Amino acid sequence: MAEGNNSKTNLAFSRLHHFLYLGTEGNCYNSKKPVFSLDSVHSIESLIADGKGKDVVQEIIRFASEGLSLCPDAILYALAVCAHSQNNEIKSAAFKAVDKVCSTSVELFAFNRFLNEVSKPTKAWGRARRRAISSWYSSKSAKVQACEVTKIIQRHRWTHLDLFRLSHHRPVDKASAAVVKYVVKGIESTQKEFGVDGASSEVQEIMTYLKAVHELKHTTDEHVAARLIETHDLSFEHIPTPLLKSKEIWTCLIQRLPLHVLLRKLPRLHRLGFLKNNTALFKSFMERLRSESALADGHLGPIETFIIARQHDISGKLDQGKPLTRYRSSQLDDALHNLHMASFKMVPSTGKRYLVAVDVRNPMDHNRIVIGGVNLSPSDASALLIMALVRAEGQNVAAVAFSTKGMANIDINNKMTLSDISCRMRETPMGPVNMAAPLQWAQERKRYFDIIIVCTDNQTQPGDVHPAEALKEYRKAFNLPQTRFVICAMSSQGFSLAPPDEPGMLDIAGFNVKTLQVIQDFARGIF
Protein backbone atom coordinates (compact mmCIF):
# COMPACT_ATOMS: atom_id res chain seq x y z
CA MET A 1 0.00 0.00 0.00
CA ALA A 2 2.87 2.37 0.84
CA GLU A 3 4.38 1.80 -2.63
CA GLY A 4 1.01 2.60 -4.20
CA ASN A 5 0.77 5.83 -2.20
CA ASN A 6 4.33 6.80 -3.16
CA SER A 7 3.56 6.16 -6.82
CA LYS A 8 0.43 8.30 -6.60
CA THR A 9 2.33 11.11 -4.85
CA ASN A 10 5.19 10.98 -7.39
CA LEU A 11 2.71 11.20 -10.25
CA ALA A 12 1.00 14.16 -8.57
CA PHE A 13 4.35 15.97 -8.21
CA SER A 14 5.13 15.18 -11.84
CA ARG A 15 1.83 16.73 -12.90
CA LEU A 16 2.50 19.73 -10.68
CA HIS A 17 5.88 20.22 -12.37
CA HIS A 18 4.20 19.97 -15.78
CA PHE A 19 1.74 22.65 -14.72
CA LEU A 20 4.39 24.98 -13.31
CA TYR A 21 6.51 24.61 -16.44
CA LEU A 22 3.94 24.36 -19.27
CA GLY A 23 0.76 25.78 -17.76
CA THR A 24 -1.01 22.41 -18.04
CA GLU A 25 -0.88 19.19 -16.03
CA GLY A 26 -1.15 17.22 -19.26
CA ASN A 27 1.64 15.83 -21.42
CA CYS A 28 1.19 18.24 -24.33
CA TYR A 29 3.00 21.52 -24.97
CA ASN A 30 1.07 23.88 -27.21
CA SER A 31 2.18 27.33 -28.29
CA LYS A 32 -1.29 28.68 -27.47
CA LYS A 33 -1.63 30.55 -24.19
CA PRO A 34 -3.19 28.22 -21.58
CA VAL A 35 -6.46 29.03 -19.81
CA PHE A 36 -6.41 28.26 -16.09
CA SER A 37 -9.17 26.96 -13.86
CA LEU A 38 -9.33 24.95 -10.65
CA ASP A 39 -9.95 21.87 -12.81
CA SER A 40 -6.53 22.36 -14.40
CA VAL A 41 -4.58 21.89 -11.14
CA HIS A 42 -5.92 18.74 -9.48
CA SER A 43 -2.37 17.86 -8.42
CA ILE A 44 -2.28 20.68 -5.84
CA GLU A 45 -5.48 19.54 -4.17
CA SER A 46 -4.23 15.93 -4.22
CA LEU A 47 -0.86 16.81 -2.67
CA ILE A 48 -2.40 19.01 0.01
CA ALA A 49 -4.72 16.13 0.91
CA ASP A 50 -1.62 13.90 1.24
CA GLY A 51 -0.02 16.37 3.66
CA LYS A 52 2.40 17.72 1.02
CA GLY A 53 1.03 21.27 0.86
CA LYS A 54 4.20 22.93 2.17
CA ASP A 55 6.22 20.98 -0.40
CA VAL A 56 3.94 22.37 -3.11
CA VAL A 57 4.66 25.94 -1.98
CA GLN A 58 8.40 25.19 -1.90
CA GLU A 59 8.24 23.85 -5.46
CA ILE A 60 6.42 27.01 -6.56
CA ILE A 61 9.16 29.13 -4.96
CA ARG A 62 11.87 26.98 -6.58
CA PHE A 63 10.41 27.25 -10.08
CA ALA A 64 10.03 31.03 -9.65
CA SER A 65 13.46 31.73 -8.14
CA GLU A 66 15.35 29.50 -10.61
CA GLY A 67 13.41 30.78 -13.62
CA LEU A 68 12.36 27.27 -14.61
CA SER A 69 8.93 28.04 -16.04
CA LEU A 70 7.98 28.57 -19.65
CA CYS A 71 4.65 29.93 -18.39
CA PRO A 72 5.22 32.29 -15.43
CA ASP A 73 1.47 32.85 -15.03
CA ALA A 74 1.12 29.17 -14.12
CA ILE A 75 3.38 29.71 -11.10
CA LEU A 76 1.25 32.67 -9.99
CA TYR A 77 -1.97 30.73 -10.48
CA ALA A 78 -0.63 27.80 -8.44
CA LEU A 79 0.37 30.20 -5.66
CA ALA A 80 -3.14 31.72 -5.73
CA VAL A 81 -4.67 28.24 -5.40
CA CYS A 82 -2.49 27.56 -2.36
CA ALA A 83 -3.33 30.99 -0.89
CA HIS A 84 -7.02 30.07 -1.16
CA SER A 85 -6.52 26.72 0.62
CA GLN A 86 -8.77 25.87 3.53
CA ASN A 87 -5.65 24.68 5.33
CA ASN A 88 -4.47 27.72 7.28
CA GLU A 89 -0.88 26.49 7.39
CA ILE A 90 -0.71 26.19 3.59
CA LYS A 91 -2.49 29.52 3.13
CA SER A 92 -0.01 31.24 5.44
CA ALA A 93 2.98 29.69 3.63
CA ALA A 94 1.59 30.80 0.27
CA PHE A 95 1.08 34.41 1.33
CA LYS A 96 4.57 34.51 2.86
CA ALA A 97 5.92 33.36 -0.51
CA VAL A 98 4.43 36.31 -2.43
CA ASP A 99 7.61 38.40 -1.96
CA LYS A 100 9.74 35.56 -3.37
CA VAL A 101 7.49 34.56 -6.26
CA CYS A 102 6.27 37.95 -7.52
CA SER A 103 9.40 39.78 -8.66
CA THR A 104 7.56 42.59 -10.49
CA SER A 105 4.30 44.47 -10.12
CA VAL A 106 3.05 42.78 -13.30
CA GLU A 107 3.31 39.46 -11.48
CA LEU A 108 1.73 40.93 -8.35
CA PHE A 109 -1.25 42.14 -10.38
CA ALA A 110 -1.57 38.72 -12.03
CA PHE A 111 -1.46 36.96 -8.65
CA ASN A 112 -4.26 39.18 -7.36
CA ARG A 113 -6.33 38.56 -10.45
CA PHE A 114 -5.92 34.78 -10.09
CA LEU A 115 -6.64 34.90 -6.36
CA ASN A 116 -9.90 36.71 -7.03
CA GLU A 117 -10.82 34.13 -9.68
CA VAL A 118 -10.24 31.10 -7.44
CA SER A 119 -11.95 32.84 -4.48
CA LYS A 120 -15.26 33.64 -6.22
CA PRO A 121 -17.85 34.54 -5.13
CA THR A 122 -16.05 36.04 -2.11
CA LYS A 123 -13.55 38.93 -2.35
CA ALA A 124 -10.93 37.17 -0.16
CA TRP A 125 -9.31 40.32 1.23
CA GLY A 126 -8.52 38.98 4.68
CA ARG A 127 -5.73 39.95 7.02
CA ALA A 128 -3.20 37.52 5.50
CA ARG A 129 -3.72 38.87 2.00
CA ARG A 130 -3.55 42.51 3.11
CA ARG A 131 -0.33 41.83 4.98
CA ALA A 132 1.21 40.00 2.00
CA ILE A 133 0.43 42.74 -0.52
CA SER A 134 1.58 45.53 1.77
CA SER A 135 4.74 43.58 2.57
CA TRP A 136 5.50 43.21 -1.16
CA TYR A 137 5.83 46.99 -1.48
CA SER A 138 7.57 47.48 1.88
CA SER A 139 10.21 44.86 1.08
CA LYS A 140 11.47 46.97 -1.82
CA SER A 141 13.50 50.16 -1.73
CA ALA A 142 11.70 53.43 -2.40
CA LYS A 143 13.54 53.72 -5.74
CA VAL A 144 12.32 50.30 -6.88
CA GLN A 145 8.79 51.16 -5.75
CA ALA A 146 8.96 54.42 -7.71
CA CYS A 147 10.11 52.56 -10.81
CA GLU A 148 7.34 49.94 -10.50
CA VAL A 149 4.45 52.36 -9.94
CA THR A 150 5.50 54.61 -12.84
CA LYS A 151 6.53 51.92 -15.31
CA ILE A 152 3.50 49.62 -14.93
CA ILE A 153 0.37 51.65 -14.21
CA GLN A 154 -2.12 48.81 -14.36
CA ARG A 155 -2.56 45.20 -15.45
CA HIS A 156 -5.41 42.73 -15.24
CA ARG A 157 -7.79 45.57 -14.21
CA TRP A 158 -5.68 46.25 -11.11
CA THR A 159 -3.80 49.45 -10.31
CA HIS A 160 -1.29 50.25 -7.58
CA LEU A 161 -3.90 52.55 -6.04
CA ASP A 162 -6.29 49.57 -5.77
CA LEU A 163 -3.67 47.50 -3.97
CA PHE A 164 -2.64 50.33 -1.64
CA ARG A 165 -6.27 50.90 -0.67
CA LEU A 166 -7.33 47.27 -0.25
CA SER A 167 -4.18 46.21 1.61
CA HIS A 168 -4.30 49.26 3.93
CA HIS A 169 -0.69 49.83 2.93
CA ARG A 170 1.40 52.04 5.20
CA PRO A 171 4.80 53.15 3.88
CA VAL A 172 7.79 52.38 6.09
CA ASP A 173 9.71 55.63 5.51
CA LYS A 174 9.29 59.11 4.03
CA ALA A 175 10.77 58.19 0.65
CA SER A 176 8.22 55.36 0.30
CA ALA A 177 5.51 57.73 1.53
CA ALA A 178 6.36 60.05 -1.37
CA VAL A 179 5.77 57.16 -3.79
CA VAL A 180 2.40 56.40 -2.23
CA LYS A 181 1.42 60.07 -2.32
CA TYR A 182 2.33 60.22 -6.01
CA VAL A 183 0.09 57.24 -6.79
CA VAL A 184 -2.81 58.57 -4.73
CA LYS A 185 -2.66 62.31 -5.38
CA GLY A 186 -0.32 62.93 -8.32
CA ILE A 187 2.88 64.88 -8.80
CA GLU A 188 1.66 68.33 -7.64
CA SER A 189 0.47 67.20 -4.21
CA THR A 190 3.59 65.08 -3.80
CA GLN A 191 5.79 68.06 -4.65
CA LYS A 192 4.02 70.26 -2.11
CA GLU A 193 4.47 67.76 0.71
CA PHE A 194 7.86 66.22 -0.06
CA GLY A 195 9.66 68.62 -2.40
CA VAL A 196 10.55 70.97 0.42
CA ASP A 197 13.83 72.36 1.67
CA GLY A 198 15.53 70.15 4.21
CA ALA A 199 14.15 66.87 2.81
CA SER A 200 16.46 63.88 3.23
CA SER A 201 18.67 62.77 0.34
CA GLU A 202 16.49 59.66 -0.13
CA VAL A 203 13.34 61.77 -0.48
CA GLN A 204 15.12 64.16 -2.85
CA GLU A 205 16.24 61.27 -5.03
CA ILE A 206 12.67 59.94 -5.26
CA MET A 207 11.25 63.38 -6.02
CA THR A 208 13.81 63.93 -8.78
CA TYR A 209 12.90 60.58 -10.32
CA LEU A 210 9.13 61.16 -10.11
CA LYS A 211 9.46 64.63 -11.64
CA ALA A 212 11.55 63.20 -14.48
CA VAL A 213 8.89 60.59 -15.24
CA HIS A 214 6.19 63.25 -15.17
CA GLU A 215 8.18 65.53 -17.48
CA LEU A 216 8.85 62.69 -19.94
CA LYS A 217 5.16 61.84 -20.15
CA HIS A 218 4.24 65.44 -20.97
CA THR A 219 7.09 66.69 -23.16
CA THR A 220 6.93 66.83 -26.95
CA ASP A 221 10.60 67.75 -27.32
CA GLU A 222 12.49 64.61 -28.37
CA HIS A 223 15.85 66.00 -27.25
CA VAL A 224 14.51 66.73 -23.76
CA ALA A 225 12.94 63.25 -23.66
CA ALA A 226 16.21 61.54 -24.65
CA ARG A 227 18.10 63.47 -21.99
CA LEU A 228 15.57 62.45 -19.33
CA ILE A 229 15.79 58.79 -20.34
CA GLU A 230 19.57 58.73 -20.17
CA THR A 231 19.97 60.87 -17.04
CA HIS A 232 17.38 59.07 -14.92
CA ASP A 233 17.67 55.57 -16.41
CA LEU A 234 14.02 55.47 -17.46
CA SER A 235 12.51 52.38 -19.07
CA PHE A 236 10.93 51.74 -22.45
CA GLU A 237 7.54 51.53 -20.71
CA HIS A 238 7.92 55.12 -19.48
CA ILE A 239 8.08 56.51 -23.02
CA PRO A 240 4.81 57.88 -24.48
CA THR A 241 3.82 56.28 -27.79
CA PRO A 242 4.15 59.48 -29.91
CA LEU A 243 7.83 59.76 -28.94
CA LEU A 244 8.52 56.27 -30.31
CA LYS A 245 8.42 57.78 -33.79
CA SER A 246 11.49 59.88 -32.97
CA LYS A 247 14.93 59.09 -34.38
CA GLU A 248 16.49 60.80 -31.35
CA ILE A 249 14.65 58.48 -28.96
CA TRP A 250 15.63 55.35 -30.89
CA THR A 251 19.25 56.46 -31.02
CA CYS A 252 19.07 56.56 -27.23
CA LEU A 253 17.25 53.20 -26.96
CA ILE A 254 19.53 51.17 -29.23
CA GLN A 255 22.22 50.96 -26.55
CA ARG A 256 19.76 50.54 -23.68
CA LEU A 257 17.22 47.91 -24.71
CA PRO A 258 18.06 44.21 -24.31
CA LEU A 259 19.01 42.90 -27.73
CA HIS A 260 16.14 40.40 -27.92
CA VAL A 261 13.68 43.27 -27.32
CA LEU A 262 15.46 45.53 -29.82
CA LEU A 263 15.38 42.89 -32.56
CA ARG A 264 11.64 42.46 -32.11
CA LYS A 265 11.34 46.17 -32.90
CA LEU A 266 13.14 45.68 -36.23
CA PRO A 267 9.93 45.89 -38.35
CA ARG A 268 9.01 49.16 -36.61
CA LEU A 269 12.45 50.62 -37.29
CA HIS A 270 12.12 49.62 -40.93
CA ARG A 271 8.70 51.23 -41.24
CA LEU A 272 10.01 54.45 -39.72
CA GLY A 273 12.90 54.47 -42.20
CA PHE A 274 15.56 54.50 -39.51
CA LEU A 275 17.72 51.70 -40.91
CA LYS A 276 18.90 53.29 -44.14
CA ASN A 277 22.58 52.64 -44.80
CA ASN A 278 25.20 55.01 -43.43
CA THR A 279 22.89 56.96 -41.11
CA ALA A 280 24.10 57.49 -37.53
CA LEU A 281 21.26 55.37 -36.15
CA PHE A 282 22.00 52.52 -38.59
CA LYS A 283 25.69 52.56 -37.61
CA SER A 284 24.74 52.47 -33.93
CA PHE A 285 22.40 49.55 -34.56
CA MET A 286 25.10 47.64 -36.47
CA GLU A 287 27.61 48.31 -33.70
CA ARG A 288 25.20 46.79 -31.18
CA LEU A 289 24.60 43.71 -33.35
CA ARG A 290 28.33 43.13 -33.84
CA SER A 291 29.37 43.67 -30.23
CA GLU A 292 30.89 40.78 -28.29
CA SER A 293 28.21 41.18 -25.63
CA ALA A 294 25.35 40.94 -28.14
CA LEU A 295 24.13 37.58 -26.77
CA ALA A 296 24.99 38.26 -23.14
CA ASP A 297 21.40 38.50 -21.91
CA GLY A 298 20.81 34.85 -22.87
CA HIS A 299 17.37 35.39 -24.43
CA LEU A 300 18.40 34.81 -28.04
CA GLY A 301 18.72 31.22 -29.20
CA PRO A 302 19.28 29.88 -32.73
CA ILE A 303 15.59 29.41 -33.50
CA GLU A 304 14.69 33.00 -32.65
CA THR A 305 17.71 34.46 -34.48
CA PHE A 306 16.95 32.29 -37.52
CA ILE A 307 13.36 33.53 -37.63
CA ILE A 308 14.49 37.16 -37.25
CA ALA A 309 17.07 36.78 -40.03
CA ARG A 310 14.52 35.00 -42.24
CA GLN A 311 11.94 37.72 -41.58
CA HIS A 312 14.33 40.37 -42.76
CA ASP A 313 15.73 38.39 -45.66
CA ILE A 314 12.61 37.29 -47.53
CA SER A 315 10.53 39.43 -49.85
CA GLY A 316 6.91 40.11 -49.07
CA LYS A 317 4.74 41.55 -46.36
CA LEU A 318 6.01 40.66 -42.93
CA ASP A 319 4.56 43.05 -40.41
CA GLN A 320 1.06 44.56 -40.61
CA GLY A 321 1.18 44.46 -44.40
CA LYS A 322 4.26 46.70 -44.65
CA PRO A 323 7.06 45.48 -46.96
CA LEU A 324 10.50 45.54 -45.36
CA THR A 325 12.41 45.22 -48.61
CA ARG A 326 12.59 48.98 -49.25
CA TYR A 327 15.45 49.26 -46.79
CA ARG A 328 17.23 46.00 -47.48
CA SER A 329 20.86 46.10 -46.45
CA SER A 330 23.49 43.47 -47.16
CA GLN A 331 25.33 44.69 -44.06
CA LEU A 332 22.28 44.01 -41.90
CA ASP A 333 21.68 40.65 -43.59
CA ASP A 334 25.28 39.64 -42.86
CA ALA A 335 25.12 40.87 -39.25
CA LEU A 336 21.88 38.98 -38.58
CA HIS A 337 23.33 35.83 -40.15
CA ASN A 338 26.48 36.12 -38.01
CA LEU A 339 24.33 36.68 -34.93
CA HIS A 340 22.36 33.56 -35.80
CA MET A 341 25.52 31.46 -36.11
CA ALA A 342 26.89 32.87 -32.85
CA SER A 343 23.63 32.08 -31.05
CA PHE A 344 24.32 28.32 -31.33
CA LYS A 345 27.03 28.84 -28.72
CA MET A 346 24.30 29.92 -26.27
CA VAL A 347 22.58 26.52 -26.36
CA PRO A 348 23.62 24.72 -23.16
CA SER A 349 24.74 21.12 -23.14
CA THR A 350 22.54 18.80 -21.09
CA GLY A 351 24.97 15.87 -21.23
CA LYS A 352 22.11 13.63 -22.41
CA ARG A 353 22.10 11.20 -25.35
CA TYR A 354 19.65 12.15 -28.10
CA LEU A 355 18.09 10.29 -31.02
CA VAL A 356 16.16 12.49 -33.48
CA ALA A 357 13.88 10.67 -35.95
CA VAL A 358 12.73 12.84 -38.86
CA ASP A 359 9.78 12.56 -41.23
CA VAL A 360 11.16 13.28 -44.75
CA ARG A 361 7.95 13.01 -46.80
CA ASN A 362 6.97 15.77 -49.24
CA PRO A 363 4.48 17.56 -46.93
CA MET A 364 7.39 18.40 -44.61
CA ASP A 365 8.70 20.72 -47.33
CA HIS A 366 5.62 21.66 -49.33
CA ASN A 367 2.21 23.05 -48.42
CA ARG A 368 2.95 23.04 -44.71
CA ILE A 369 3.88 25.83 -42.30
CA VAL A 370 4.66 25.12 -38.67
CA ILE A 371 2.09 26.30 -36.14
CA GLY A 372 3.58 29.04 -33.96
CA GLY A 373 6.55 29.85 -36.21
CA VAL A 374 7.18 32.42 -38.93
CA ASN A 375 7.69 31.23 -42.50
CA LEU A 376 9.20 27.89 -41.48
CA SER A 377 8.43 24.53 -43.03
CA PRO A 378 8.49 21.47 -40.75
CA SER A 379 11.58 20.35 -42.67
CA ASP A 380 13.38 23.65 -41.92
CA ALA A 381 12.37 23.43 -38.28
CA SER A 382 13.56 19.82 -37.96
CA ALA A 383 16.95 20.59 -39.52
CA LEU A 384 17.33 23.64 -37.27
CA LEU A 385 16.52 21.54 -34.20
CA ILE A 386 19.08 18.88 -35.19
CA MET A 387 21.74 21.50 -35.89
CA ALA A 388 21.21 23.17 -32.50
CA LEU A 389 21.32 19.87 -30.62
CA VAL A 390 24.38 18.48 -32.38
CA ARG A 391 26.31 21.73 -31.86
CA ALA A 392 25.43 21.69 -28.15
CA GLU A 393 25.74 17.96 -27.45
CA GLY A 394 28.29 16.82 -30.09
CA GLN A 395 28.57 13.05 -30.51
CA ASN A 396 25.71 12.50 -28.07
CA VAL A 397 23.25 13.21 -30.90
CA ALA A 398 22.23 10.71 -33.59
CA ALA A 399 19.67 11.27 -36.34
CA VAL A 400 17.58 8.86 -38.40
CA ALA A 401 14.83 9.27 -41.00
CA PHE A 402 11.65 7.34 -41.76
CA SER A 403 12.60 5.74 -45.09
CA THR A 404 11.15 3.14 -47.46
CA LYS A 405 13.26 0.48 -45.72
CA GLY A 406 12.55 1.49 -42.14
CA MET A 407 14.77 3.81 -40.13
CA ALA A 408 17.73 5.15 -42.15
CA ASN A 409 20.76 6.69 -40.47
CA ILE A 410 21.49 10.37 -41.21
CA ASP A 411 25.19 11.01 -40.83
CA ILE A 412 25.54 14.34 -38.98
CA ASN A 413 28.26 16.23 -37.12
CA ASN A 414 28.67 19.55 -35.34
CA LYS A 415 30.40 21.22 -38.31
CA MET A 416 27.42 20.85 -40.65
CA THR A 417 25.33 23.82 -41.73
CA LEU A 418 21.57 23.94 -41.96
CA SER A 419 21.86 23.41 -45.70
CA ASP A 420 24.04 20.33 -45.18
CA ILE A 421 21.57 18.73 -42.79
CA SER A 422 18.59 19.58 -45.02
CA CYS A 423 20.40 18.03 -47.98
CA ARG A 424 21.03 14.80 -46.02
CA MET A 425 17.37 14.64 -45.12
CA ARG A 426 16.26 15.12 -48.74
CA GLU A 427 18.61 12.37 -49.93
CA THR A 428 16.75 9.79 -47.82
CA PRO A 429 14.02 7.87 -49.72
CA MET A 430 10.81 8.87 -47.96
CA GLY A 431 8.79 6.31 -46.07
CA PRO A 432 5.78 6.01 -43.75
CA VAL A 433 5.96 7.37 -40.21
CA ASN A 434 5.67 4.79 -37.43
CA MET A 435 5.95 6.42 -33.99
CA ALA A 436 7.33 3.28 -32.30
CA ALA A 437 9.95 2.60 -35.01
CA PRO A 438 12.77 4.79 -33.58
CA LEU A 439 12.49 3.01 -30.23
CA GLN A 440 12.49 -0.39 -31.92
CA TRP A 441 15.44 0.63 -34.12
CA ALA A 442 17.45 1.72 -31.05
CA GLN A 443 16.58 -1.47 -29.19
CA GLU A 444 17.52 -3.74 -32.11
CA ARG A 445 20.90 -2.02 -32.48
CA LYS A 446 21.50 -1.79 -28.72
CA ARG A 447 21.87 1.98 -28.84
CA TYR A 448 21.44 3.77 -25.51
CA PHE A 449 19.57 7.08 -25.49
CA ASP A 450 18.21 9.30 -22.74
CA ILE A 451 15.68 11.00 -25.00
CA ILE A 452 14.19 10.06 -28.37
CA ILE A 453 12.48 12.73 -30.47
CA VAL A 454 10.19 12.31 -33.48
CA CYS A 455 9.82 15.32 -35.82
CA THR A 456 6.85 15.24 -38.18
CA ASP A 457 4.21 17.55 -39.67
CA ASN A 458 0.94 16.25 -38.26
CA GLN A 459 1.31 12.48 -38.65
CA THR A 460 0.66 11.30 -35.10
CA GLN A 461 -1.06 7.92 -35.51
CA PRO A 462 0.47 5.40 -33.09
CA GLY A 463 0.72 2.46 -35.55
CA ASP A 464 0.53 -1.24 -34.67
CA VAL A 465 2.59 -0.76 -31.50
CA HIS A 466 1.84 2.25 -29.31
CA PRO A 467 5.01 4.25 -28.60
CA ALA A 468 4.23 4.11 -24.87
CA GLU A 469 4.53 0.31 -25.02
CA ALA A 470 7.68 0.51 -27.14
CA LEU A 471 9.16 2.94 -24.61
CA LYS A 472 8.48 0.53 -21.75
CA GLU A 473 10.15 -2.29 -23.69
CA TYR A 474 13.18 -0.14 -24.48
CA ARG A 475 13.58 1.00 -20.87
CA LYS A 476 13.30 -2.56 -19.60
CA ALA A 477 15.69 -4.03 -22.18
CA PHE A 478 18.55 -1.70 -21.28
CA ASN A 479 17.66 -0.77 -17.68
CA LEU A 480 17.12 2.88 -18.66
CA PRO A 481 14.05 3.82 -16.56
CA GLN A 482 14.51 7.55 -17.17
CA THR A 483 14.57 7.46 -20.98
CA ARG A 484 12.07 9.95 -22.37
CA PHE A 485 10.13 10.21 -25.63
CA VAL A 486 8.97 13.35 -27.46
CA ILE A 487 6.68 13.68 -30.48
CA CYS A 488 6.95 17.09 -32.14
CA ALA A 489 4.11 17.47 -34.68
CA MET A 490 5.01 20.83 -36.14
CA SER A 491 1.88 21.46 -38.20
CA SER A 492 -0.54 20.17 -35.58
CA GLN A 493 -2.77 22.45 -33.53
CA GLY A 494 -3.16 19.80 -30.85
CA PHE A 495 -3.09 16.03 -30.38
CA SER A 496 -2.93 13.51 -27.56
CA LEU A 497 -0.69 10.48 -27.84
CA ALA A 498 1.21 10.46 -24.53
CA PRO A 499 -0.79 8.57 -21.84
CA PRO A 500 -1.71 10.72 -18.82
CA ASP A 501 0.05 8.29 -16.45
CA GLU A 502 3.33 8.40 -18.43
CA PRO A 503 5.23 11.56 -17.43
CA GLY A 504 8.19 10.41 -19.53
CA MET A 505 6.35 11.14 -22.78
CA LEU A 506 5.67 14.60 -24.19
CA ASP A 507 3.56 15.75 -27.13
CA ILE A 508 4.56 19.06 -28.76
CA ALA A 509 1.93 20.62 -31.04
CA GLY A 510 3.51 23.20 -33.34
CA PHE A 511 6.97 24.73 -33.24
CA ASN A 512 8.15 28.06 -31.85
CA VAL A 513 11.21 29.79 -30.41
CA LYS A 514 10.82 27.86 -27.13
CA THR A 515 10.64 24.35 -28.59
CA LEU A 516 14.37 23.63 -28.26
CA GLN A 517 14.35 24.79 -24.63
CA VAL A 518 11.27 22.65 -23.89
CA ILE A 519 12.98 19.54 -25.28
CA GLN A 520 16.23 20.16 -23.41
CA ASP A 521 14.47 20.94 -20.13
CA PHE A 522 12.35 17.80 -20.54
CA ALA A 523 15.54 15.80 -21.18
CA ARG A 524 17.04 17.22 -17.97
CA GLY A 525 13.93 16.20 -15.99
CA ILE A 526 12.92 19.71 -14.97
CA PHE A 527 9.30 18.72 -15.64
Side-chain angles (χ1 to χ4, degrees), residues 242-297:
L243 286 174
L244 292 175
K245 296 179 181 180
S246 161
K247 185 179 292 187
E248 187 74 22
I249 295 299
W250 279 105
T251 300
C252 171
L253 290 175
I254 279 175
Q255 299 302 327
R256 300 177 64 82
L257 288 178
L259 186 59
H260 71 282
V261 175
L262 183 61
L263 286 172
R264 288 168 193 164
K265 308 298 181 184
L266 197 57
R268 175 183 283 188
L269 294 175
H270 272 289
R271 288 200 307 273
L272 292 170
F274 291 166
L275 293 182
K276 294 180 181 178
N277 287 354
N278 299 321
T279 63
L281 195 148
F282 177 78
K283 291 177 181 177
S284 180
F285 186 82
M286 294 300 295
E287 182 183 332
R288 180 73 192 280
L289 279 184
R290 292 167 175 163
S291 68
E292 291 185 4
S293 60
L295 295 167
D297 68 1

Side-chain angles (χ1 to χ4, degrees), residues 189-199 203-204 207 211:
S189 296
T190 309
Q191 176 66 26
K192 286 180 182 178
E193 183 173 346
F194 295 94
V196 296
D197 294 337
V203 171
Q204 290 179 28
M207 289 307 305
K211 285 189 286 185

Side-chain angles (χ1 to χ4, degrees), residues 310-386:
R310 173 70 66 88
Q311 264 188 324
H312 177 76
D313 190 51
I314 65 171
S315 301
K317 297 179 178 180
L318 298 171
D319 186 74
Q320 298 182 1
K322 305 289 185 179
L324 302 188
T325 51
R326 282 187 301 167
Y327 305 124
R328 286 292 305 281
S329 161
S330 59
Q331 292 182 60
L332 183 54
D333 284 345
D334 290 344
L336 289 173
H337 174 73
N338 291 338
L339 183 72
H340 168 60
M341 296 308 296
S343 68
F344 283 97
K345 298 176 183 177
M346 304 305 296
V347 180
S349 171
T350 62
K352 302 297 183 181
R353 297 163 295 187
Y354 292 76
L355 174 64
V356 185
V358 188
D359 180 354
V360 291
R361 297 169 305 150
N362 283 333
M364 291 286 285
D365 267 316
H366 307 291
N367 304 319
R368 286 276 193 275
I369 297 294
V370 300
I371 304 297
V374 180
N375 198 54
L376 282 176
S377 69
S379 181
D380 288 337
S382 300
L384 190 57
L385 186 62
I386 292 172

